[in-house]
Amino acid sequence: MTTAGVRATARIGARADGRGGTALPVLEGEGPLALRRTRASGDEARVMLVGAMSGPLGGDRFAVEAEVGEGARLHVGSAAATIALPGQAKGEARYDVRLDVSGGGELRWLPEQLISAQESDLYVSSRVELRSGARLVFREEQVLGRVGEQPGRLASRLVVRLDGRPLLDQELSCGPGAPGGWDGPAVLGGHRALGQLVVVRPEFEPEPPQARLLGEYAALMPLAGPAVLVSALAPDALRLRRVLDEALRALDR
């Protein structure tokens, strides 16, 4: 911890154990970022990210790094929603997610929602590096403000690359100080929960799922590669989760 905020990094390393399962030779958390291995079935390892203290607050720098080796399967979730708060230190907080999946490896990244509380200021950067043959499920959900309050400022960028080639690179900024129109009909249209689901699978290369609407405020779109993107808006976090869960179940069939 410093006068400018808390610095903390959590690291996960997953490897095939040679017996049909997945070992976790690296499982390290710092300060507010605690990691716990939980019970799993089959060859998958499951890890929960547990917030040991509130945050990120103003000036904090959090990072989560996960590396999945060839033949390993890793599922990462979180015990509760992450809440961005203003804190005593001034300035922007950062939350960096760095994920790397080797060919033949699989990562399911399914944390709980990120909530932007009033007067908070957070920048989220998520970068995913995949190798040919890797499999990915990446869910991102953002809620603008708690019940009855205005949101803070929330900016986020998501980059997904396959063998160094971009599959997806997008950025969004919402709340006070964001470019004008972020809450207008061309962007959020007054909704307060937004999310996306990126699914990468080798079998999508020859036969990608068809683009389609998933209700009034959600759509599935194939990307330029073995991947699809589901984007959704909803009035609240519960309905957003229902839309994304339904889309993932359809893709898992």
Side-chain angles (χ1 to χ4, degrees), residues 67 105 107 115-116 127 162 169 197 221 233 243:
E67 184 179 349
L107 172 63
I115 302 172
S116 174
R127 293 183 178 272
L162 177 62
D169 188 341
L197 184 70
M221 180 177 296
L233 298 175
V243 171

Side-chain angles (χ1 to χ4, degrees), residues 131-218:
R131 307 295 179 270
S132 293
R135 303 171 69 87
L136 172 73
V137 174
F138 179 98
R139 184 180 68 205
E140 183 176 65
E141 298 172 312
Q142 298 168 346
V143 180
L144 304 180
R146 294 169 291 191
V147 176
E149 75 172 7
Q150 294 298 309
R153 182 178 181 276
L154 176 62
S156 64
R157 183 180 181 187
L158 171 60
V159 178
V160 182
R161 297 177 181 271
L162 177 62
D163 290 331
R165 179 174 59 85
L167 291 177
L168 178 68
D169 188 341
Q170 67 177 27
E171 191 164 2
L172 181 67
S173 185
C174 305
W182 65 270
D183 202 22
V187 187
L188 298 187
H191 291 85
R192 285 294 177 266
L194 57 151
Q196 52 198 352
L197 184 70
V198 181
V199 180
V200 181
R201 290 175 181 161
E203 57 265 33
F204 289 167
E205 189 75 67
E207 292 188 43
Q210 296 297 307
R212 61 185 184 271
L213 294 176
L214 304 174
E216 189 173 1
Y217 300 108

Side-chain angles (χ1 to χ4, degrees), residues 63-112:
V64 180
E65 301 172 357
E67 184 179 349
V68 181
E70 182 177 354
R73 297 183 63 219
L74 175 65
H75 180 126
V76 180
S78 59
T82 298
I83 305 178
L85 298 165
Q88 295 182 346
K90 301 299 181 182
E92 177 186 79
R94 286 189 61 100
Y95 201 123
D96 295 314
V97 176
R98 300 288 180 264
L99 310 175
D100 191 291
V101 187
S102 297
E106 180 176 343
L107 172 63
R108 296 177 71 89
W109 181 265
L110 298 167
E112 296 301 310

